[in-house]
Amino acid sequence: MKVYNDLSHINRPFPGAVVTLGNFDGVHLGHREIFRRVVYRAREIDGTAVVFSFWPHPLRVLAPHQELRLINTYDEKVRLIAASCIDVFLCPSFTRELAALSPEQFVAEVLVGRIGTRHVIVGYDYRFGRERSGDAELLKQLGRQQGFGVEILAPIAQGQTVYSSTRIRRLVAAGQVREVVALLGRHFTLEGRVVHGDHRGQSLGFPTANLATDKELLPAPGVYAVKARHAGKVYEAVANIGRKPTFGGDALTIEVHLLDFSANLYGQSLRLYFFERLRDEKRFNTIEELRAAITTDIARAKEILTAAPIIAYRDYLGECEER
């Protein structure tokens, strides 16, 4: 997949560009269905499957006072979109200059002039152009004028479950990591670099890797059964997200105890796959109580994780997968 972070770097329109546009935060099952349709239509006409998004999220520019914790980092978003066999990912910086384009200007200058759009697939609630003044119906009208087709999709759902980035954020923020698998089509993940902590885990008999991460959206404070991927291998693990109240901590930390693992991980990367929340974070009266609780956490995590496969991103066409 080719990635463009600046529209001026596109030297010529893409042949037979089939385009979808949106934020696609989470790259959930609804997004994946849209991508599947884009790829299918592009292959039909021997064209180019294109996903158009922005970074940062437009709200960061237009409404910076609104709190928004993104599900994915930029790198995760690129990797997950690539896993859907998309040919080109356009992700320019969202600027006030871009935001000032009228719907008509955006279509003529960007979709047609720069990308060479032949067909567009968007959701029913898609908005674009200055002050979000353009909607899907206007896009259809402009498509007829400019010579490209427009397909408007109804909300994508499985049964009564509508796939929604907002709902995923709420579930993750509440610690309901098991429930988000049905919406994401994979386990919620978090990647980070192992940094030095206070080394209390070692003294307790349960050495932990402390993670520094760019991830904005974190599960609610608590203890989780997770699997950790490191250097191509997967380990069962227990993760604690919180402020270590037993020791009067203040800063939020992410600590991971890898089961049956003893190597030095400082400076290296880990990817965590969240399976289930085991319990709330709590303050223990004694170190012995804390040790007993950790021992119980590990036993429960083993019950959950043993023989449980990681549900990772596999695309519909069977040709692309998460790396």
Side-chain angles (χ1 to χ4, degrees):
M1 182 178 78
K2 293 183 178 179
V3 179
Y4 293 83
N5 298 121
D6 190 326
L7 296 178
S8 68
H9 293 169
I10 302 172
N11 296 321
R12 62 181 63 86
F14 302 106
V18 179
V19 185
T20 186
L21 306 97
N23 293 313
F24 306 117
D25 187 34
V27 193
H28 55 59
L29 286 172
H31 298 148
R32 289 169 63 178
E33 174 61 17
I34 294 173
F35 300 159
R36 186 192 68 79
R37 296 187 188 200
V38 168
V39 170
Y40 179 80
R41 179 60 67 93
R43 300 297 179 263
E44 272 190 328
I45 63 173
D46 196 24
T48 308
V50 179
V51 171
F52 191 125
S53 191
F54 290 108
W55 195 269
H57 193 289
L59 283 178
R60 294 280 164 79
V61 176
L62 301 178
H65 58 281
Q66 290 190 24
E67 183 177 4
L68 175 67
R69 295 188 182 275
L70 297 179
I71 300 166
N72 296 134
T73 64
Y74 172 79
D75 288 344
E76 287 173 337
K77 187 172 182 176
V78 172
R79 184 175 68 247
L80 293 169
I81 290 174
S84 277
C85 294
I86 294 298
D87 299 314
V88 173
F89 180 41
L90 306 178
C91 196
S93 297
F94 187 80
T95 63
R96 290 195 175 276
E97 289 73 24
L98 259 176
L101 292 177
S102 69
E104 292 78 7
Q105 287 174 310
F106 179 76
V107 167
E109 297 175 17
V110 179
L111 286 187
V112 176
R114 183 69 67 173
I115 300 173
T117 300
R118 285 274 305 280
H119 192 78
V120 174
I121 300 175
V122 293
Y124 71 100
D125 57 351
Y126 176 66
R127 310 287 302 195
F128 68 106
R130 185 169 51 240
E131 297 180 350
R132 291 168 51 85
S133 56
D135 59 13
E137 287 302 325
L138 176 59
L139 184 62
K140 254 188 174 179
Q141 177 185 328
L142 295 174
R144 286 192 292 269
Q145 296 173 5
Q146 296 282 350
F148 62 85
V150 176
E151 183 178 348
I152 301 175
L153 302 181
I156 299 174
Q158 179 68 40
Q160 299 300 312
T161 302
V162 176
Y163 301 117
S164 161
S165 298
T166 299
R167 187 177 179 206
I168 290 168
R169 291 190 195 100
R170 289 172 180 165
L171 288 172
V172 172
Q176 296 176 266
V177 293
R178 182 175 61 181
E179 288 77 2
V180 299
V181 175
L183 299 174
L184 287 173
R186 64 183 189 280
H187 291 292
F188 177 78
T189 60
L190 180 157
E191 297 184 41
R193 181 173 55 87
V194 179
V195 298
H196 286 278
D198 53 25
H199 302 284
R200 283 203 184 94
Q202 187 75 45
S203 64
L204 289 169
F206 305 99
T208 59
N210 291 266
L211 292 188
T213 182
D214 293 330
K215 194 86 163 182
E216 296 180 5
L217 180 67
L218 299 179
V223 180
Y224 294 84
V226 304
K227 289 195 177 185
R229 185 184 296 277
H230 168 65
K233 295 184 179 180
V234 176
Y235 302 89
E236 296 177 358
V238 175
N240 182 87
I241 299 176
R243 304 182 187 278
K244 294 181 275 193
T246 300
F247 300 101
D250 182 50
L252 186 71
T253 61
I254 305 168
E255 297 180 295
V256 189
H257 173 62
L258 277 65
L259 310 186
D260 305 315
F261 183 88
S262 59
N264 187 335
L265 291 172
Y266 291 118
Q268 301 183 54
S269 295
L270 288 180
R271 181 186 301 169
L272 304 184
Y273 299 81
F274 285 77
F275 278 69
E276 191 166 329
R277 192 169 193 263
L278 300 177
R279 62 173 173 86
D280 291 338
E281 185 182 43
K282 62 176 292 187
R283 182 183 183 279
F284 295 94
N285 295 320
T286 67
I287 297 301
E288 288 71 25
E289 286 183 6
L290 175 57
R291 282 198 184 100
I294 295 174
T295 300
T296 299
D297 295 336
I298 291 172
R300 286 194 59 205
K302 286 183 175 179
E303 290 177 0
I304 294 166
L305 299 172
T306 299
I310 289 176
I311 303 173
Y313 196 156
R314 298 294 182 268
D315 109 289
Y316 286 84
L317 303 181
E319 298 172 1
C320 310
E321 63 182 34
E322 183 184 22
R323 295 290 190 264

